[in-house]
Amino acid sequence: MNADLRRERAAATFQTELLTHILDGGAERTRRRKEIEALVLNDPDFQHEDLNFLSRSQRYEQAIRKSALMVMKLREYGIADPEEIYWFKSFVHRGRPEPLDLHLGMFLPTLLTQATPEQQDRFFMPAWNLEIIGTYAQTEMGHGTHLRGLETTATYDPATQEFILNSPTVTSIKWWPGGLGKTSNHAIVLAQLYTQGQCKGLHAFIVPIRQLGTHEPLPGITVGDIGPKFGYDEMDNGYLKMDNFRIPRENMLMKYAQVEPDGTYVKPLSDKLTYGTMVFIRSLIVGDSARSLSRACTIAIRYSAVRHQSELKPGEPEPQILDYQTQQYKLFPLLATAYAFHFVGAYIKDTYRRISGDINEGDLSELPELHALTAGLKAFTSWTANAGIEECRMACGGHGYSRCSGIPDIYVTFTPSCTYEGENTVMMLQTARFLVKSYTQVSSGQRVTGMVSYLNDLSRQRIQPQHVAARTVTVRINDPVSLVEAYKARAARLVEAAAKNLQAELNHRKSKEDAWNRTSVDLVRASEAHCHYVIVKLFTAKLAEISNAAVRAVLTELCLLYALYGISKNTGDFLQAGILTDAQITQVNQRVKELLAIIRRNAVALVDSFDFHDVHLGSVLGRYDGNVYENMFEWAKKSPLNKTEVHESFHKHLKPMQAKL
Amino acid sequence: SVNPDLASERQTASFSVEKLTAWLDGGVEQTQLRRAVVEAIERDPVFSRENQYFQSQNERYEAAVRKAVHLQKKMQEMGWSENGPEFKYIYRAVAGDIAFLLHRVFMRSVSMLGSDEQIAKWIPLASQYQLIGSYAQTELGHGTYLQGLETTAVFDVTTQEFILNTPKISAMKWWPGDMGRSATHTVVFAQLYVHGKCYGIHPFIVQIRSLQDHSLCPGIIAGDIGPKMNFEHVDNGYLMLQNVRIPRENMLNKFCEVQPDGTYVRRGSQKINYFTMTLVRISLISGEAVLPLMKACTIAIRYSAVRRQSKLKPGEQEAKILDYQTQQEKLLPQLASAYAFHFIDNYLQELFNRGYREIQRENFDTLPELHALSSGFKAMVTQHCTSGVEICLRACGGHGYSLLSGLPSLYTKIIASCIYEGENTILLLQTARFLIKCFMAASTGQPVPPSVIYLAAAKPGNCPAKNKLDFLHPDIYTEAYQHVAVRLISSTAAKLQDLIQSGVKKHDAWNRCTVQLVQAAKAHCHYITVKNFAETVEKIETKAGIQKIMKHLCDLFALYGIFSNTGFFLHDGYLSGAQMDMVTASYLDLLALIRKDAVPLVDAFDLTDKSLNSALGSYDGQVYQRLYEWAQKSPTNKQISPAYGKYLKPLLHNRLSKL
């Protein structure tokens, strides 16, 4: 092991395993995770060449090979718990997407929730056995966010008892669904249902797209791959165009809405349940933000402990770059953020689990708040992680730019989560809608509960003709609980400001929609402040649950850094609302820098606790043993340009030119 | 035909697009010249970038070599020369997608660092491409800190040769462009040893590949460093030297020489080299940072005028996403920044031309200021432009993520500019060092260079604005920026002194203040950018509505900076909370105002469809048709995937038989 890293690890003030257990949710879960990890890593079937050297087509091929094996082996090993499946899959695919993602993650679950028993008989087992490979085709070329605007049509023909599917315009071509381009032979297609001459809105249909056996597209179906992307090389995101393509009436998913043989439309009872799936998937993205940022931090921090450059003290050897304040200032707040997001992800997952129990018993009362909160947190965490991953890469200097660092791949794989499952700005505005609604309730004398209960303080405030935040919060900058109060006051102030601006626009007799649009920048800021508050609050609350004193101490330092760094990056909000004074801001900035120096000694141990296996990390810079330079050389030798010593373009272009000039 | 949604945007322009283009180019003649060069290149099929997004690293490299070779022919044919007025447009027209850029750096270093004899020997060979050069400075273990380089060159008096070695793995040369596959020669920077004494870093010309068959020379291990985020067309290379002997005459010896008996002689001033470094930093701002941002803005703004999503008013057609305030707030500040940085580039070019004239007269007085400005602005502009391109990418939703949008490759390319030619944090700290020095000088009444005179003249007081319209006065916001810059520089200087006086060692105190120093340097550059934008607007003589729209952009750029850094302006009460609300109100008003001219403002950049190479950003706005056509050309659609036959089918059959 590299001597610098050994020294870093020896100097840590806590046991890394204990923190790993906390992140995993207990020692037993850590053990099981590693057991599954070993199952994959020791399996020769899952070995392959470094993906960085493969073409897109080869990467797809590797992914599909591994996916096919994975499905078999999961069943062979009897792994059925969703979280264990998730681990297995992410070890097999090393945290990357794969062509069966949509089949496993959307096609099968949608059959379970929206198909009638008869449809389940027909489709579920063949799909389970991969005779049918399906995808979920919702987004169109011209429509993503605004679902009601989708243009694909499904027109019922009572004469033949069939639906006729059409893509009437270029913009209506289904575009982006994963696994659609090359892999799937079926798709669940979302289309506008027309029956008896009336449009009944969006419904889901099971559409066969390729011939079983030959895998050729069926007549009336045009299907293909949408071409190269920023990342997701292993995924065949596809397009689908349908021309008068007929499917039997029984292929509409009819557990809720139905079309009877004569074309009579029967309305669904409630559509609130689809809420649940959205909350679940967005909560996964929060966890994914934490993991992706953790991986990038692991790489950047280990490398910064191995890399030496310049001089700090004249005459002394070159220091580790981790000793530079500017480097610490780039990396440690991100490390703290990664921890914060882990705890937030776990909180949402638990809350969802708890509430979904209530939902099954018909109690939907907590769902709107959770839905609003998850939308905002999905946006907040994915935006932050997205920028943070890039920050980590930049902190690795030139070598971060090489694919051997692994960070470019983490970034391009992660960055679409700012867009999919709800574009982030749109998500923030959904949260804002809930915040404004809560504010309005409070204004009209009602009380609100949950994470927005701080808005209740407004009613007390109303007696005095003052800004809500003008009340003095005595902030103690070394006390996380007190900092939670500061964040709370900031959120309250920004929610109030946005709500008042919205009201002012309405008073200028703007239409509701126009007023909303003209206030949307303020509204997004209010949502961000709310989410920021929630995260600081949850991180702080987590500290009380930690029994080991050494671990609690180091997590408290991280929590303080997270909260104080957030203030120092948004000083304007805290100053303008009078929550903190100039002098306090100066103290906060100073304290941030002191914390950097304190966290420095545990930095490597803190990323070790994330416990990413080298194979999973996929980075030469971030290797556990720190032997960076030797392995960069070994890696480069495998580059495709090095396959022959003299490249063919020498004979084709260079030599003739030299002869001519 | 042009998409009606784009056509309508163009009908309502408040200014003449053609006149703005000419003004940006520096005159109608320049515009004509640029268009002629761009057209000549784009019409030539060899320079086509049509299938670029589908090509492998190997194919990209081969195409870059092919283009570089062809460009030589083309230049002869067209009568263009390296020193001619066309040259700056050529690189822009080929979109940098070309090999042998380091060959030019090789030639420049020989010219700068070599003696007259060396120049006479090497330059003709290089300009005839009888050799292909590279420039090998960075090592695996060292980039920023040149003195730390580990490659050695030991002088052997008996044979009159230098013996070059890579003593350990971290000393391997790593990253030099054109070196992985193409170069036959390279300038190697190594620690010079004569008679056991180290004389520091010196440049040596080393042949690495045979001129006959291109095979590696004895003692040389070289190759490509593998895939990167971008620059796939460049063969960035590694180089290991094992007892490679080169003649004494191969050390570039304009400034230092080792004489036959081993005597080391130093002569002349190396300050001119310092100037080259600053020149390189300045010259990359326009092509490598501002231009990509202009491209990204063009793509994202045109697409936002074509893309419709959701409804603003019930019953109406879905709205253009450019009509959403949140979308405007993402894109329009980036547009204003592209203009602001274009103007700062003009400012720097002018300053440098003046500086160059002085330096030719052996007057090096302006050098520290030029160096500080070039470092700071290289860092500030590349950083802002990089994040601007990324914002544009994400503002295009899912389709922005497709390579066919052109945005991912713009992004992965521009981010490299934050690192090469000086890592940005390091550069900002160099600027900060200059600022602190000037501040100290100014506070003791000594003279300081023109760009920092404001440090001496700072006056106390608060912002006098009374209402939101006051924030549309350049004096009001320029002074606010100045105030913040002075405050950050003076408070950091005070902090440094406090630490030193309390007994902390100087270097330690410096490291403890670096986070603040970086902020101070950024604030200084931001202030100059705002001030320069305002002055540029002031001086505009062209009519046709240009001054008015430029004034709006200037206001937007300035207020955006305040809006996104409120804390700096509120900190000591220079702006009050109420004033900050006015800033926000004015800022949001400007978005709606500039929205009307957004498409004409990107049209004025006059970027051809081929140079954008984007399915989303073309002039005609036929986004969806183009996206569909281009996708069909993807190699993945040309055949049934082999993966089906190899892996899926056996799996299915296996299953079917069991069913």
Side-chain angles (χ1 to χ4, degrees):
Chain A
M1 193 193 293
N2 171 292
D4 287 314
L5 278 185
R6 187 179 311 123
R7 206 167 33 246
E8 295 289 337
R9 287 174 177 135
T13 63
F14 69 101
Q15 263 182 287
T16 51
E17 298 80 12
L18 292 179
L19 186 46
T20 305
H21 297 162
I22 292 168
L23 291 171
D24 278 327
E28 171 53 25
R29 297 191 66 71
T30 301
R31 189 197 61 75
R32 179 66 179 147
R33 175 174 59 76
K34 291 178 103 71
E35 191 172 76
I36 290 175
E37 183 177 84
L39 227 58
V40 174
L41 294 179
N42 299 331
D43 187 336
D45 282 350
F46 290 125
Q47 309 303 316
H48 51 77
E49 203 183 334
D50 190 316
L51 296 174
N52 287 298
F53 303 127
L54 301 184
S55 71
R56 196 179 152 225
S57 178
Q58 289 167 321
R59 280 174 84 147
Y60 169 70
E61 207 178 310
Q62 280 300 340
I64 200 93
R65 180 183 73 80
K66 288 195 292 181
S67 295
L69 278 168
M70 174 184 82
V71 172
M72 311 257 255
K73 296 208 178 192
L74 275 171
R75 287 168 200 177
E76 188 183 316
Y77 297 137
I79 296 174
D81 172 70
E83 186 148 12
E84 295 190 358
I85 292 177
Y86 175 85
W87 286 335
F88 193 87
K89 181 174 128 51
S90 76
F91 296 136
V92 167
H93 290 284
R94 302 170 190 187
R96 291 192 176 85
E98 49 112 351
L100 293 187
D101 273 348
L102 274 275
H103 176 75
L104 302 171
M106 287 300 289
F107 190 80
L108 288 174
T110 308
L111 284 180
L112 283 178
T113 54
Q114 297 190 37
T116 62
E118 180 273 328
Q119 289 174 322
Q120 299 217 5
D121 284 347
R122 230 169 2 119
F123 294 109
F124 192 79
M125 278 322 284
W128 179 252
N129 288 328
L130 290 176
E131 183 191 346
I132 288 176
I133 298 175
T135 180
Y136 189 81
Q138 177 175 300
T139 331
E140 296 172 359
M141 206 183 311
H143 284 94
T145 300
H146 186 58
L147 282 187
R148 273 165 296 164
L150 293 180
E151 297 173 272
T152 304
T153 59
T155 310
Y156 185 63
D157 176 0
T160 58
Q161 306 224 354
E162 288 171 321
F163 291 102
I164 309 164
L165 282 123
N166 268 302
S167 311
T169 58
V170 175
T171 46
S172 75
I173 296 172
K174 293 291 176 188
W175 201 270
W176 282 111
L180 173 63
K182 298 277 128 185
T183 313
S184 301
N185 53 26
H186 281 68
I188 290 178
V189 169
L190 268 86
Q192 303 284 359
L193 166 65
Y194 285 86
T195 181
Q196 298 174 337
Q198 278 185 313
C199 180
K200 299 291 179 188
L202 281 186
H203 290 76
F205 303 84
I206 300 180
V207 181
I209 55 173
R210 285 191 166 91
Q211 188 72 52
L212 296 186
T214 67
H215 213 57
E216 294 284 350
L218 293 167
I221 296 286
T222 309
V223 62
D225 174 83
I226 62 163
K229 295 144 297 189
F230 206 178
Y232 273 55
D233 278 357
E234 37 281 288
M235 180 69 99
D236 54 325
N237 297 86
Y239 59 78
L240 171 68
K241 188 167 174 290
M242 293 168 292
D243 296 299
N244 289 316
F245 188 75
R246 288 174 170 263
I247 56 169
R249 185 184 68 91
E250 296 79 12
N251 276 26
M252 175 173 141
L253 288 173
M254 292 212 247
K255 184 164 174 186
Y256 300 107
Q258 284 160 22
V259 172
E260 291 177 351
D262 67 348
T264 308
Y265 178 74
V266 184
K267 264 208 272 195
L269 290 174
S270 156
D271 53 6
K272 275 226 170 119
L273 286 170
T274 44
Y275 254 29
T277 325
M278 278 194 292
V279 169
F280 177 68
I281 292 181
R282 286 172 193 162
S283 78
L284 290 183
I285 294 176
V286 175
D288 201 33
S289 301
R291 269 182 302 274
S292 298
L293 184 57
S294 307
R295 286 172 71 190
C297 283
T298 305
I299 296 166
I301 288 179
R302 283 186 187 154
Y303 176 63
S304 298
V306 169
R307 177 89 170 170
H308 290 250
Q309 201 79 179
S310 305
E311 47 182 25
L312 264 175
K313 293 177 194 167
E316 286 196 7
E318 294 180 67
Q320 295 164 284
I321 59 174
L322 200 53
D323 286 331
Y324 289 95
Q325 189 187 59
T326 46
Q327 187 77 351
Q328 296 169 1
Y329 191 68
K330 287 176 194 170
L331 296 177
F332 297 167
L334 293 173
L335 178 64
T337 305
Y339 273 94
F341 290 1
H342 270 290
F343 299 135
V344 173
Y347 166 85
I348 300 186
K349 209 163 67 184
D350 292 347
T351 311
Y352 174 73
R353 211 173 275 159
R354 179 173 62 74
I355 293 185
S356 49
D358 299 342
I359 295 171
N360 288 340
E361 281 152 36
D363 176 9
L364 301 176
S365 57
E366 280 187 85
L367 203 51
E369 191 198 349
L370 186 66
H371 180 250
L373 184 64
T374 327
L377 287 173
K378 179 262 178 188
F380 189 97
T381 59
S382 62
W383 263 337
T384 310
N386 186 62
I389 294 165
E390 275 297 75
E391 188 80 41
C392 288
R393 190 186 54 70
M394 300 278 267
C396 294
H399 295 332
Y401 192 73
S402 166
R403 292 201 175 257
C404 77
S405 76
I407 308 185
D409 224 42
I410 297 174
Y411 178 71
V412 296
T413 306
F414 180 75
T415 191
S417 54
C418 296
T419 309
Y420 62 55
E421 297 303 333
E423 197 278 330
N424 277 357
T425 302
V426 177
M427 291 298 96
M428 281 299 187
L429 288 171
Q430 284 189 6
T431 304
R433 209 172 276 281
F434 179 79
L435 294 173
V436 169
K437 203 171 136 197
S438 304
Y439 175 83
T440 315
Q441 282 175 335
V442 169
S443 307
S444 63
Q446 287 169 267
R447 287 188 67 77
V448 290
T449 55
M451 288 289 185
V452 287
S453 56
Y454 60 84
L455 293 173
N456 290 325
D457 299 348
L458 288 164
S459 55
R460 253 180 287 136
Q461 209 64 41
R462 198 164 317 283
I463 312 161
Q464 305 141 14
Q466 256 182 333
H467 251 233
V468 51
R471 78 196 164 130
T472 37
V473 186
T474 323
V475 180
R476 296 174 308 278
I477 66 163
N478 279 316
D479 175 8
V481 176
S482 175
L483 294 174
V484 173
E485 292 302 309
Y487 274 91
K488 189 193 269 188
R490 168 190 180 227
R493 191 248 162 200
L494 287 175
V495 171
E496 178 172 62
K500 282 189 169 163
N501 288 349
L502 182 64
Q503 192 53 48
E505 291 288 349
L506 287 169
N507 294 347
H508 285 102
R509 281 175 298 164
K510 291 281 185 308
S511 75
K512 236 167 128 184
E513 293 75 14
D514 221 14
W516 181 262
N517 188 28
R518 283 162 169 269
T519 320
S520 51
V521 168
D522 292 327
L523 290 163
V524 169
R525 283 178 74 187
S527 290
E528 283 176 338
H530 175 70
C531 293
H532 212 155
Y533 152 68
V534 169
I535 294 168
V536 173
K537 180 183 157 81
L538 293 175
F539 198 167
T540 304
K542 186 76 195 174
L543 298 176
E545 296 171 23
I546 314 286
S547 51
N548 180 284
V551 173
R552 192 173 56 242
V554 70
L555 281 181
T556 304
E557 288 155 14
L558 282 177
C559 180
L560 270 175
L561 179 65
Y562 181 77
L564 294 173
Y565 178 79
I567 292 174
S568 80
K569 280 283 151 186
N570 297 283
T571 50
D573 290 349
F574 292 89
L575 284 170
Q576 197 177 356
I579 303 163
L580 293 166
T581 62
D582 290 358
Q584 281 177 311
I585 293 290
T586 306
Q587 279 173 26
V588 166
N589 290 336
Q590 186 52 34
R591 186 70 186 133
V592 164
K593 282 175 269 180
E594 287 165 15
L595 283 164
L596 295 178
I598 292 172
I599 290 166
R600 165 69 187 84
R601 68 203 150 130
N602 281 318
V604 170
L606 281 165
V607 297
D608 284 350
S609 293
F610 292 137
D611 199 25
F612 290 111
H613 192 282
D614 275 351
V615 173
H616 193 199
L617 208 51
S619 166
V620 180
L621 301 190
R623 295 168 60 92
Y624 185 81
D625 67 10
N627 294 325
V628 170
Y629 296 129
E630 304 82 314
N631 286 288
M632 277 182 80
F633 187 34
E634 289 308 310
W635 181 86
K637 283 194 265 185
K638 296 182 209 144
S639 164
L641 274 190
N642 290 331
K643 289 261 156 73
T644 55
E645 187 176 294
V646 176
H647 194 268
E648 54 181 345
S649 51
F650 170 72
H651 301 289
K652 265 162 98 173
H653 305 295
L654 289 180
K655 218 170 167 181
M657 168 177 74
Q658 288 169 333
K660 259 186 244 160
L661 280 167
Chain B
S1 70
V2 174
N3 182 315
D5 279 338
L6 261 191
S8 66
E9 298 283 338
R10 291 176 175 133
Q11 273 157 14
T12 53
S14 74
F15 61 93
S16 155
V17 170
E18 187 61 25
K19 288 207 170 110
L20 179 53
T21 301
W23 182 62
L24 290 174
D25 277 326
V28 180
E29 303 76 26
Q30 288 295 313
T31 303
Q32 281 165 354
L33 183 68
R34 177 175 55 75
R35 285 182 181 160
V37 171
V38 168
E39 209 204 319
I41 299 265
E42 289 186 349
R43 230 182 11 209
D44 189 329
V46 178
F47 295 116
S48 164
R49 289 158 70 215
E50 202 186 320
N51 290 314
Q52 186 178 301
Y53 300 128
F54 305 133
Q55 287 173 334
S56 69
Q57 194 192 359
N58 254 320
E59 291 165 330
R60 291 286 305 275
Y61 167 66
E62 196 196 315
V65 172
R66 191 174 62 234
K67 288 179 192 178
V69 169
H70 187 68
L71 183 61
Q72 295 311 311
K73 218 175 96 195
K74 190 89 188 169
M75 287 181 64
Q76 285 177 357
E77 207 177 285
M78 303 292 295
W80 295 338
S81 79
E82 301 247 329
N83 307 317
E86 298 90 358
F87 196 75
K88 63 174 171 179
Y89 300 126
I90 295 176
Y91 179 78
R92 181 173 164 156
V94 295
D97 202 13
I98 196 161
F100 308 153
L101 295 174
L102 267 286
H103 183 69
R104 289 165 45 78
V105 179
F106 173 87
M107 288 173 68
R108 192 174 62 214
S109 12
V110 173
S111 309
M112 302 285 304
L113 306 171
S115 63
D116 292 345
E117 304 90 85
Q118 288 174 323
I119 293 173
K121 176 180 175 189
W122 295 102
I123 294 297
L125 286 171
S127 37
Q128 295 293 309
Y129 282 89
Q130 296 306 305
L131 63 84
I132 293 163
S134 174
Y135 180 87
Q137 181 177 295
T138 358
E139 294 171 0
L140 201 38
H142 284 93
T144 298
Y145 185 62
L146 287 186
Q147 287 118 289
L149 294 179
E150 296 171 292
T151 304
T152 57
V154 179
F155 185 60
D156 179 352
V157 185
T158 52
T159 61
Q160 295 286 303
E161 289 172 320
F162 292 105
I163 309 162
L164 280 97
N165 266 300
T166 303
K168 53 205 243 206
I169 202 121
S170 57
M172 205 178 339
K173 293 294 172 187
W174 200 270
W175 281 110
D178 293 337
M179 198 175 74
R181 299 277 84 185
S182 304
T184 59
H185 288 69
T186 184
V187 174
V188 170
F189 284 79
Q191 303 282 0
L192 168 66
Y193 285 87
V194 183
H195 297 317
K197 185 177 168 197
C198 182
Y199 288 91
I201 293 295
H202 290 75
F204 303 84
I205 296 184
V206 181
Q207 181 174 353
I208 59 173
R209 287 191 176 88
S210 153
L211 290 172
Q212 308 310 308
D213 62 3
H214 217 63
S215 62
L216 292 172
C217 293
I220 300 284
I221 295 170
D224 176 86
I225 64 161
K228 299 142 294 192
M229 285 193 92
N230 197 324
F231 291 90
E232 286 162 308
H233 60 289
V234 179
D235 53 324
N236 295 88
Y238 58 77
L239 171 68
M240 209 172 187
L241 301 148
Q242 292 168 333
N243 289 316
V244 174
R245 287 176 169 265
I246 56 167
R248 188 180 65 91
E249 295 75 24
N250 277 24
M251 177 170 130
L252 289 172
N253 60 12
K254 183 172 183 183
F255 300 105
C256 314
E257 191 183 13
V258 176
Q259 293 178 335
D261 64 349
T263 312
Y264 179 82
V265 185
R266 189 182 281 279
R267 59 179 164 238
S269 164
Q270 291 222 49
K271 276 187 179 160
I272 188 81
N273 296 332
Y274 210 40
F275 184 71
T276 319
M277 207 157 65
T278 60
L279 190 71
V280 171
R281 280 173 195 159
I282 290 303
S283 63
L284 70 85
I285 287 180
S286 148
E288 305 303 320
V290 183
L291 182 63
L293 179 59
M294 286 175 171
K295 287 184 178 175
C297 285
T298 306
I299 295 168
I301 287 178
R302 286 185 183 157
Y303 175 63
S304 298
V306 169
R307 177 86 173 173
R308 290 176 174 274
Q309 202 77 183
S310 306
K311 296 184 180 181
L312 268 173
K313 289 180 189 140
E316 280 189 10
Q317 198 187 358
E318 289 183 63
K320 292 178 178 180
I321 58 174
L322 194 53
D323 286 325
Y324 291 93
Q325 190 188 50
T326 46
Q327 186 76 353
Q328 293 165 7
E329 213 265 322
K330 287 174 195 171
L331 296 179
L332 301 184
Q334 310 317 318
L335 178 64
S337 303
Y339 276 92
F341 296 141
H342 176 79
F343 300 136
I344 206 68
D345 180 53
N346 289 346
Y347 162 85
L348 292 168
Q349 295 293 349
E350 214 177 288
L351 213 63
F352 270 71
N353 291 338
R354 238 182 298 146
Y356 188 58
R357 285 194 293 273
E358 289 301 312
I359 282 165
Q360 280 174 321
R361 277 187 244 133
E362 299 275 303
N363 173 7
F364 295 108
D365 293 352
T366 57
L367 211 50
E369 186 189 20
L370 290 182
H371 180 252
L373 283 170
S374 72
S375 305
F377 278 107
K378 183 271 180 181
M380 182 212 185
V381 177
T382 54
Q383 205 163 313
H384 274 251
C385 291
T386 298
S387 73
V389 171
E390 212 244 343
I391 289 169
C392 291
L393 191 159
R394 278 193 284 123
C396 290
H399 294 327
Y401 189 72
S402 167
L403 284 194
L404 308 181
S405 74
L407 292 165
S409 46
L410 280 175
Y411 177 64
T412 50
K413 196 162 178 205
I414 194 178
I415 44 178
S417 70
C418 296
I419 311 236
Y420 60 61
E421 297 303 336
E423 196 275 332
N424 281 352
T425 303
I426 311 280
L427 292 185
L428 287 166
L429 287 172
Q430 287 180 4
T431 306
R433 205 175 278 278
F434 169 81
L435 292 172
I436 295 291
K437 222 163 140 183
C438 291
F439 177 79
M440 298 305 215
S443 54
T444 55
Q446 292 161 38
V448 291
S451 62
V452 285
I453 280 180
Y454 74 95
L455 290 176
K459 38 186 187 283
N462 293 336
C463 175
K466 299 263 184 307
N467 58 53
K468 70 173 181 177
L469 294 180
D470 285 346
F471 280 101
L472 302 178
H473 290 297
D475 288 349
I476 297 277
Y477 52 69
T478 309
E479 266 172 42
Y481 274 93
Q482 180 182 318
H483 178 85
V484 167
V486 172
R487 180 175 63 76
L488 288 173
I489 294 165
S490 62
S491 67
T492 313
K495 174 86 185 297
L496 257 175
Q497 279 206 311
D498 279 357
L499 282 171
I500 292 168
Q501 272 165 9
S502 72
V504 178
K505 295 238 170 59
K506 225 172 157 181
H507 52 259
D508 208 15
W510 180 263
N511 189 30
R512 284 205 223 167
C513 290
T514 44
V515 167
Q516 276 167 279
L517 286 161
V518 166
Q519 280 174 350
K522 282 185 189 166
H524 168 72
C525 294
H526 210 149
Y527 158 59
I528 301 215
T529 311
V530 169
K531 182 161 158 272
N532 178 63
F533 201 155
E535 286 169 0
T536 306
V537 171
E538 192 71 18
K539 282 184 284 190
I540 294 178
E541 283 160 8
T542 331
K543 302 271 181 307
I546 288 174
Q547 190 172 36
K548 195 169 159 216
I549 187 70
M550 286 300 118
K551 166 73 167 55
H552 290 328
L553 280 179
C554 178
D555 294 345
L556 182 71
F557 179 77
L559 297 189
Y560 169 66
I562 300 178
F563 176 77
S564 31
N565 297 286
T566 51
F568 286 153
F569 294 84
L570 290 164
H571 187 90
D572 56 354
Y574 184 79
L575 254 67
S576 68
Q579 283 174 322
M580 194 54 80
D581 287 340
M582 295 172 202
V583 168
T584 308
S586 264
Y587 168 62
L588 295 177
D589 289 348
L590 279 166
L591 293 178
L593 198 64
I594 293 168
R595 152 71 187 91
K596 296 179 194 146
D597 280 317
V599 170
L601 280 167
V602 296
D603 285 350
F605 296 143
D606 198 25
L607 297 158
T608 61
D609 285 354
K610 282 186 178 160
S611 76
L612 294 172
N613 208 11
S614 162
L616 304 188
S618 289
Y619 188 83
D620 67 9
Q622 300 297 354
V623 168
Y624 299 115
Q625 288 82 344
R626 198 167 274 112
L627 202 51
Y628 188 38
E629 268 166 43
W630 288 15
Q632 283 166 306
K633 286 195 252 170
S634 169
T636 39
N637 288 326
K638 290 205 174 127
Q639 71 281 320
I640 281 218
S641 162
Y644 174 71
K646 268 173 147 165
Y647 304 113
L648 279 178
K649 208 170 169 189
L651 179 80
L652 301 185
H653 278 238
N654 182 24
R655 279 290 162 196
L656 286 172
S657 58
K658 280 185 196 162
L659 274 172

